[in-house]
Amino acid sequence: MEKNIKYPYLPEGRSILYAGEDNSYIQSAKELWTIGGCAKQPTAAVVVKDGKIIGHGTNAGIKVKECPRWGSPTGTNYGPCKDVCKQEGHAEAIAVKDAIKNGFDTQGADLYLYGHWWCCQNCWGVMIKAGIKNVYLLENSENIFNPEINLEMKDWGRPRG
């Protein structure tokens, strides 16, 4: 199902679809999300083709309790993400790269993302280039994973010291 949401970025001609918590691919992404590493905005994605998960990705390589770039404006200071958290990219891009690295054809595949309410321009570029057909987010993710709405998220990853 499509929604009429104002996303920070959405390529022309593309849409975001939604799946319920009971969807097995959303469940797989959520399971990966629980073990992912990002303390501030953890995300996880799976790439699915012909009913099979062919790629997995999270947005941090190691689990951290405090965000090393805490207080940085959105879209800035990603150096600590790479240096401290060993982030190689966002979950969507990592999942696509994982599928391709493992020899799978991603043309016509779908991507399921858990932990965010939109996809950035870079991730859309990777997904479009890889031929991802549909992008699914968790139903109601625009409220659950948006720190402007879910104010609890504003403290995720905050240094405690």
Side-chain angles (χ1 to χ4, degrees), residues 16-39:
I16 292 178
L17 303 173
Y18 291 86
E21 184 89 38
D22 60 342
N23 178 284
S24 64
Y25 304 123
I26 285 289
Q27 288 176 5
S28 292
K30 182 179 180 181
E31 185 176 307
L32 188 57
W33 177 83
T34 64
I35 60 172
C38 183

Side-chain angles (χ1 to χ4, degrees), residues 89-110:
H90 291 165
E92 305 96 295
I94 298 299
V96 168
K97 289 176 185 175
D98 182 58
I100 292 168
K101 177 186 79 173
N102 290 314
F104 292 103
D105 176 12
T106 55
Q107 288 293 320
D110 295 328

